[in-house]
Amino acid sequence: MERTLSIIKPDGVGRGLIGEVIKKLENSDIKIIAMKMLQMTKNQAKGFYAVHKERPFFDSLTDFMTSGPVVVMVLEAENVITKYRELMGATNYKEAEEGTIRRDFATDIEKNVVHGSDSQESASFEIGYFFNSFEIV
Ligand code: UDP
Ligand code: MG
């Protein structure tokens, strides 16, 4: 079993897409084992996305991620890091496969509804960033 961190981003929460994302998860074999809503500060978003700090989109991305509440979840399944990234679709929704979350719901390369960890190292950092062991069932 593997774990990953998912975030429903401020655009997804604001546009009423929490249920749509959760429906796609519950229609797959991926289990939600922790979940909460919160709004990040700019510094919290900068810490979360520290790997991207040199990228041109960093300031805009961290502004966007603090613009409203997000839903953070820990997901569990076999091979869930890859599996959930497949369910999300490509970063650029125009390149995402049909039926993926981003293809169905994203409106912009930045406002792409969801985040998912991209490796075991990032999953373990990102899960620990938002959850302690008592919050994971
Ligand atoms: N992003 C952006 N412009 C880009 C690339 C990425 O605004 O050219 C944003 C987008 O919200 C993306 C996030 O930055 O989800 C993190 O980028 P990453 O390359 O890690 O994509 P992801 O892993 O989310 O698919
Ligand atoms: Mg990424």
Side-chain angles (χ1 to χ4, degrees):
M1 278 296 164
E2 190 176 71
R3 292 177 175 182
T4 194
L5 184 88
S6 160
I7 305 178
I8 306 176
K9 296 183 179 185
D11 60 327
V13 174
R15 291 169 55 221
L17 299 172
I18 297 172
E20 298 289 347
V21 173
I22 289 176
K23 193 192 294 176
K24 283 195 194 282
L25 288 169
E26 291 187 333
N27 286 340
S28 77
D29 71 343
I30 297 172
K31 278 182 62 178
I32 300 166
I33 59 168
M35 174 159 63
K36 61 187 168 192
M37 182 180 280
L38 56 92
Q39 184 160 359
M40 278 187 270
T41 65
K42 181 80 173 173
N43 274 339
Q44 286 168 338
K46 285 163 88 172
F48 180 75
Y49 277 120
V51 290
H52 291 316
K53 65 176 183 293
E54 307 300 336
R55 306 288 285 277
F57 57 80
F58 182 69
D59 193 49
S60 175
L61 174 62
T62 50
D63 276 348
F64 162 55
M65 290 299 288
T66 60
S67 66
V70 298
V71 172
V72 288
M73 293 179 272
V74 181
L75 308 180
E76 187 175 73
E78 267 178 44
N79 206 20
V80 73
I81 295 171
T82 302
K83 207 175 263 179
Y84 182 55
R85 287 192 67 90
E86 284 171 4
L87 189 65
M88 289 197 303
T91 309
N92 182 351
Y93 72 102
K94 292 178 182 167
E95 290 162 12
E97 301 283 334
E98 299 241 350
T100 61
I101 295 167
R102 285 167 167 172
R103 175 64 171 261
D104 284 359
F105 303 115
T107 54
D108 186 277
I109 190 162
E110 178 182 78
K111 294 172 184 62
N112 58 6
V113 185
V114 279
H115 167 85
S117 312
D118 66 1
S119 65
Q120 294 195 358
E121 296 69 42
S122 67
S124 113
F125 166 74
E126 291 176 0
I127 291 168
Y129 202 76
F130 290 111
F131 293 95
N132 68 51
S133 59
F134 301 104
E135 297 174 304
I136 299 173
V137 296

